[in-house]
Amino acid sequence: MRPAELRRLLGGVRRGAVSPARAAREIAAAPLEQLGFATLDHQRALRTGFPEVVFGQGKRPQELVAIVERLAQRHRAVLATRVDEAGLAALATAFPSAEIHERARVVILRGGQKARAKPSRNGAARKARGGQGNVLVLCAGTADLPVAEEAMLTARTLGSRAELIADVGVAGIHRLLAHREKLRGARVVVVVAGLEGALPSVVGGLIDRPLIAVPTSVGYGAHFSGLAPLLAMLNSCAAGVMVVNVDNGFGAGYAAHLVNTAAARR
C-alpha cells in the first residue's frame, strides 16, 4: 500500500464510501506476509515510497516467482534485481508482460500491463513518465554496462526520468566532453567505472550537481575486484562525490531517484 493509496482509503472512510471495518481489514492485511522461505514487507511503500525490492541472488526460480506474484497482487510495480538466468527464464514464463533485462539482470513488473506474446529482452527500458528533473547515468566502458543499466532501470522504475551514456571513460576524454549539454541538464549524475575508477573525479570537476560514484569489479589483478576504484572514488578530490559499494547499481539508482525527487516530496 502506497501513501497515496492509504490517503484514498481514509478519504473513502471520511466520505462514507468505505466502511471503517473494511478500511481496518485492508490496513491490517498490509504489514507482513509469511511465505516460509520469505517474509514480505507490504508496508515498506508507506515508509519509503516504493514497495520492497526483490534481491534475486541466491533465490530459487520458484521462490522468485512466488515472491513476485505476491508483491504484484498488492503493489503497482515490482522490481527484482540480480536475477540469474534460471530466474529470468522462470519470471518471463510466469509473467509474460514483465520487462526482462538480461544484461542488467533486472525484471520489472508493472500493474495493469497487458501480456505480450514475447517479453522484451533488450537492455533498454521505456522512459518513465513523470518524475522530477533528470538522472543521467554514465559508464566508463562497455564492460560496466550491467551495473550502469541496473542503476538506470532502478531510477526509472521508481519514477525518475533517466538516461544512460555508455563508454565515455577517461582514456578518450573527448567522448565525455561531447556530452557537456546533457551533463549540465541533469539534476543528479551517476558515474559507473572500473579499472582505476578515475571517471567520477573528472565528471565531478565539470558539474555543479550531486554525483553518485559506483565502482565496478571490472579490472585486472591489482584492481582487487573493485577495491582499487572504490578507494579511488572515496579519495576523490572533486567536491560533491558520493560513493556506493562495488557493483551496487541498484543502490546508486535508488539514491539518485531520492535526490532527483527531493523537492517534489517536500
Side-chain angles (χ1 to χ4, degrees):
M1 184 178 290
R2 287 171 171 267
E5 293 170 336
L6 179 59
R7 287 193 292 271
R8 283 196 295 270
L9 180 64
L10 296 178
V13 174
R14 183 175 59 186
R15 296 190 305 272
V18 178
S19 70
R22 175 187 163 189
R25 285 196 303 271
E26 292 193 24
I27 294 173
L32 300 173
E33 182 176 2
Q34 299 285 349
L35 298 181
F37 52 84
T39 301
L40 305 186
D41 178 9
H42 290 299
Q43 279 195 340
R44 188 167 303 186
L46 284 173
R47 301 192 306 273
T48 68
F50 193 80
E52 183 175 9
V53 175
V54 183
F55 183 66
Q57 186 173 319
K59 291 183 174 65
R60 297 174 179 175
Q62 62 269 30
E63 293 171 344
L64 277 172
V65 170
I67 292 170
V68 170
E69 182 178 28
R70 298 303 295 171
L71 289 172
Q73 289 177 3
R74 299 200 186 187
H75 305 288
R76 294 180 180 179
V78 179
L79 173 64
T81 66
R82 299 302 172 96
V83 183
D84 61 20
E85 290 185 7
L88 291 173
L91 291 173
T93 300
F95 308 99
S97 62
E99 297 176 22
I100 308 295
H101 301 274
E102 291 181 341
R103 178 157 54 189
R105 297 177 290 172
V106 165
V107 177
I108 304 166
L109 186 63
R110 303 181 191 277
Q113 277 189 330
K114 295 181 180 179
R116 297 193 298 264
K118 185 178 181 181
S120 170
R121 286 183 173 269
N122 54 42
R126 294 190 300 271
K127 288 187 177 180
R129 296 179 181 178
Q132 303 294 323
N134 182 60
V135 175
L136 183 63
V137 181
L138 306 175
C139 73
T142 304
D144 301 310
L145 274 173
V147 177
E149 287 184 359
E150 183 183 47
M152 177 191 67
L153 291 167
T154 298
R156 284 183 177 179
T157 304
L158 269 62
S160 286
R161 292 190 294 268
E163 181 180 358
L164 171 62
I165 298 176
D167 201 19
V168 288
V170 297
I173 196 66
H174 58 289
R175 299 175 299 180
L176 173 66
L177 298 178
H179 298 285
R180 286 191 295 268
E181 291 299 320
K182 289 185 177 180
L183 284 169
R184 285 194 287 264
R187 179 167 290 176
V188 55
V189 179
V190 177
V191 182
V192 183
L195 295 170
E196 83 278 32
L199 186 60
S201 291
V202 174
V203 176
L206 297 174
I207 63 174
D208 60 351
R209 310 300 164 92
L211 189 157
I212 302 170
V214 189
T216 71
S217 53
V218 175
Y220 294 102
H223 171 273
F224 297 111
S225 300
L227 178 60
L230 172 63
L231 294 176
M233 294 173 186
L234 288 172
N235 287 287
S236 174
C237 61
V241 174
M242 300 165 280
V243 186
V244 299
N245 209 343
V246 177
D247 291 335
N248 191 9
F250 164 74
Y254 205 113
H257 168 75
L258 293 177
V259 173
N260 186 39
T261 58
R265 290 197 305 279
R266 288 197 297 270

